[in-house]
Amino acid sequence: DSEVYLSLSCLLKSRSKRKMHPPLTPHRHPMCLEIIEEFQKCHTEHPIGKFFGECTELKVKLDRCFRQEKAVKRKVNFEQSKKLQERLKAIRKEETAET
């Protein structure tokens, strides 16, 4: 019994170290919409199996999709930031030229 308890506690500890996915709201993740729907369907169809790896493959796909989505957002944000910095630099230059 103690061996079973130890192996279960190790399993639970290793699972608790895994990161949870962000909230699966479709409007926040348009790039991953299909995978989100598949993942939610898998959880609905396999209420117990989801705890034993039934939906793990979809979870991995979802994590990859979220990473790609984040990279795209990061790139867009960086480009917007550069444009804003250039605009502010031009405004400061104009202000110093006027004084």
Side-chain angles (χ1 to χ4, degrees):
D1 282 342
S2 63
E3 289 178 19
V4 172
Y5 175 76
L6 288 174
S7 62
L8 279 175
S9 65
C10 290
L11 176 67
L12 291 174
K13 285 179 185 176
S14 68
R15 285 180 180 244
S16 66
K17 291 179 184 178
R18 295 181 189 163
K19 292 185 178 180
M20 288 280 297
H21 51 73
L24 300 178
T25 50
H27 68 278
R28 292 187 65 193
H29 304 286
M31 289 176 57
C32 306
L33 184 59
E34 290 179 27
I35 301 171
I36 289 172
E37 289 172 351
E38 289 177 38
F39 185 68
Q40 288 175 332
K41 183 179 176 185
C42 182
H43 272 228
T44 303
E45 291 176 354
H46 307 284
I48 295 174
K50 67 184 178 184
F51 296 112
F52 298 100
E54 190 74 34
C55 306
T56 302
E57 188 176 317
L58 287 170
K59 170 79 167 92
V60 170
K61 282 184 183 179
L62 193 59
D63 289 341
R64 284 188 189 133
C65 186
F66 285 155
R67 272 188 238 119
Q68 290 174 346
E69 186 178 61
K70 189 173 184 175
V72 169
K73 287 181 180 180
R74 190 180 309 119
K75 185 177 179 181
V76 168
N77 288 340
F78 181 72
E79 290 170 1
Q80 288 176 345
S81 173
K82 281 182 85 171
K83 288 178 185 176
L84 179 62
Q85 286 177 356
E86 289 171 8
R87 234 175 66 211
L88 290 173
K89 196 174 189 179
I91 290 171
R92 287 186 193 128
K93 198 172 192 178
E94 286 176 17
E95 287 177 353
T96 56
E98 289 176 1
T99 55

